[in-house]
Amino acid sequence: MPVAIVGVGKIARDEHVPAIAADPSFDLAATVSRSGGLEGVENHETLDALLQARPDIPAVSLCMPPQVRFKAARAAIAAGRHVMLEKPPGASVSEVLTLDRLARRAGVTLYASWHSRAAAGVAMAQAWLADKRLTSVRIDWKEDVRKWHPGQDWVWQPGGLGVFDPGINALSILTAILPAPVHLTEAQLSFPENRDTPIAAELTFTDGADLTVAAAFDWRQEGGEIWQIEVETDAGTLRLTEGGARLAIGDADQGVASPGEYPALYSHFASLIAQGASDVDASPLIHVADAFMLGRRIAVDPFHD
Amino acid sequence: MPVAIVGVGKIARDEHVPAIAADPSFDLAATVSRSGGLEGVENHETLDALLQARPDIPAVSLCMPPQVRFKAARAAIAAGRHVMLEKPPGASVSEVLTLDRLARRAGVTLYASWHSRAAAGVAMAQAWLADKRLTSVRIDWKEDVRKWHPGQDWVWQPGGLGVFDPGINALSILTAILPAPVHLTEAQLSFPENRDTPIAAELTFTDGADLTVAAAFDWRQEGGEIWQIEVETDAGTLRLTEGGARLAIGDADQGVASPGEYPALYSHFASLIAQGASDVDASPLIHVADAFMLGRRIAVDPFHD
């Protein structure tokens, strides 16, 4: 099936293009980019131009920053195309819920992807936790923003989410592996004096009963990233490390393996299209919005790229 | 049907107690309050004590601040009671969605009330707008916080929402009367230097096509409150004023009347219980969370009560 990539930035080049190239269901037929696209691939300056020129492309994958994703998704759905959204699926929770309704009404597939849910250890973690009694969860999600978002000014703009841009990956795993939902009770957000989004966050969640989840997100990490989730249960400790790519239960590494996150996303997108289904779970973004609403803000040192 | 009020503060005394007294379906059988309750009404220090002592009270109305509402609602639902929530229904969006699931599973009624939706002009505004083409909406929701929230420190605490505590009333009307959903695209939130919640907000919404909604919330208003929504359509202007109690279409006041907002809420609660149904629409709170997530923050003069 021909597919088009809309927004040819770092994530498209690093992940989407190779994943599509390796996928037997999809062919990369075109791109949309104002700044030129990819060597050897048909490019259109605007999504509207693509939609008009290529009615034979039934699916689009939207990789632009979240602040402009709704308009593109709406246009693609209105033109009868299946749509895959990079994370976060939008700049607001409301727009994601609206897209979900529009896609259902139009009878097309909408897939709000969460790449970290496709990390090798996540499915097994979820299955193992399903019948355990959980007592606490500790999340550490810390990386160097200069390494992972070099020059990406949009992450510092309102709607760009700041440290929640990586942090939402942890929340997408958390919401996938917990047997019951949690909600935020407290948050502290550290805003650099000169920026509109936080560089660090401390979050506390509860299930309303015995389970507490504590999360620390930080973009000021130097010397190697830490992306891990540790779950204490009545049957021992479960540890997801390396962003979910490794899973240990107690002291035993489970040796999980996967074809890679983005190949798994495209495989799921193909299967949703084949089934005429959608997959839109806004819960990670809802937790982020809750953190901004409930969070106490503190001002910290200015950040300069 | 016996009903208990949990949280005997200003809103309970001003609105809930008289509404229950006037309602043929309900009798105020008890209250829960640490600070004494009401003259001549059985009072319990805690909700747990009430739930244990009075299994014959099938319904509770939760009027405490939103930061502590979830725990109470969860306990009441677990004890098989029908629950009505003051607005906002919680301090986080996630907890409201969780309560909705818990109530459905327990087979009890959950009613997340929005009192402004029961204002006299709202139902007719919604009916009139249903087949119009809307071009713009202008919301002004401005009041003196010292008059309307005297000494209510919780509105300034994280989760207390600040000026969104009244502003969410406007959003509850907006989401009820618009024929199609909108989502936030821009917000500016004014935080007093010494407070954790905003004293003013400017919001812009879109339906993704032609409609723009502009809203101004302000708690620094002096000399009389302004609570109005003006909708421009292809068939003229619709104006809701006085918080929705008056409706004009073009120059013609529609002379709408109602039994009052809270009597209407209790009547709806009784009918939901009779039907075995719930009514939980989190969309006004989702718009507020979106505003905190997307909003640009500016610091303004400190606020002292």
Side-chain angles (χ1 to χ4, degrees), chain A residues 163-290:
Chain A
V163 75
F164 287 97
D165 183 74
I168 204 170
N169 296 336
L171 299 176
S172 74
I173 295 177
L174 181 75
T175 47
I177 65 174
L178 290 188
V182 292
H183 61 268
L184 194 93
T185 52
E186 262 188 85
Q188 179 167 294
L189 312 183
S190 299
F191 283 72
E193 274 172 25
N194 62 335
R195 301 288 181 168
D196 286 313
T197 58
I199 198 165
E202 303 265 346
L203 314 174
T204 308
F205 301 83
T206 179
D207 68 348
D210 305 322
L211 177 63
T212 299
V213 178
F217 302 158
D218 206 321
W219 251 352
R220 298 164 300 192
Q221 175 79 6
E222 287 175 16
E225 38 283 348
I226 298 172
W227 295 319
Q228 63 182 37
I229 299 177
E230 204 166 274
V231 186
E232 301 293 342
T233 81
D234 58 345
T237 303
L238 176 147
R239 271 185 206 87
L240 282 164
T241 51
E242 297 177 19
R246 293 187 66 175
L247 173 66
I249 294 173
D251 292 330
D253 188 284
Q254 302 296 306
V256 291
S258 98
E261 296 179 1
Y262 283 79
L265 299 188
Y266 278 95
S267 159
H268 186 51
F269 188 33
S271 114
L272 288 169
I273 293 171
Q275 296 163 44
S278 280
D279 179 353
V280 182
D281 175 10
S283 66
L285 188 61
I286 290 174
H287 285 311
V288 173
D290 282 342

Side-chain angles (χ1 to χ4, degrees), chain B residues 18-31:
Chain B
I20 291 170
D23 194 296
S25 305
F26 291 109
D27 278 313
L28 182 58
T31 57

Side-chain angles (χ1 to χ4, degrees), chain A residues 143-164:
Chain A
E143 62 181 40
D144 182 348
V145 63
R146 291 187 177 88
K147 172 175 174 187
W148 291 94
H149 294 274
Q152 291 181 332
D153 200 47
W154 63 267
V155 298
W156 296 110
Q157 301 297 326
L161 301 189
V163 75
F164 287 97

Side-chain angles (χ1 to χ4, degrees), chain A residues 70 74 91-95 97 101 158-159 161 181 183 196 207-209 286-290 292-294 296-297, chain B residues 70 74 91-95 97 101 158-159 161 181 183 196 207-209 286-290 292-294 296-297:
Chain A
F70 177 84
R74 186 178 183 276
S92 69
V93 174
S94 299
E95 72 189 62
L97 304 181
R101 276 191 293 266
L161 301 189
H183 61 268
D196 286 313
D207 68 348
I286 290 174
H287 285 311
V288 173
D290 282 342
F292 277 89
M293 179 165 65
L294 259 175
R296 198 178 290 275
R297 281 163 191 75
Chain B
F70 177 85
R74 184 176 185 278
S92 69
V93 174
S94 300
E95 72 189 61
L97 304 181
R101 276 191 292 266
L161 300 189
H183 61 269
D196 286 313
D207 67 349
I286 289 174
H287 285 311
V288 173
D290 281 341
F292 277 89
M293 178 164 65
L294 258 175
R296 197 178 291 274
R297 282 163 189 76

Side-chain angles (χ1 to χ4, degrees), chain B residues 68-132:
Chain B
V68 293
R69 211 168 280 151
F70 177 85
K71 234 185 153 77
R74 184 176 185 278
I77 290 168
R81 315 302 165 95
H82 306 297
V83 175
M84 174 165 147
L85 304 170
E86 242 304 347
K87 50 72 40 172
S92 69
V93 174
S94 300
E95 72 189 61
V96 178
L97 304 181
T98 297
L99 287 180
D100 192 20
R101 276 191 292 266
L102 292 175
R104 280 170 212 278
R105 204 178 303 156
V108 299
T109 289
L110 179 66
Y111 176 26
S113 74
W114 297 104
H115 66 81
S116 289
R117 285 187 178 172
V122 173
M124 188 175 169
Q126 189 223 336
W128 190 81
L129 290 171
D131 60 356
K132 305 299 183 293

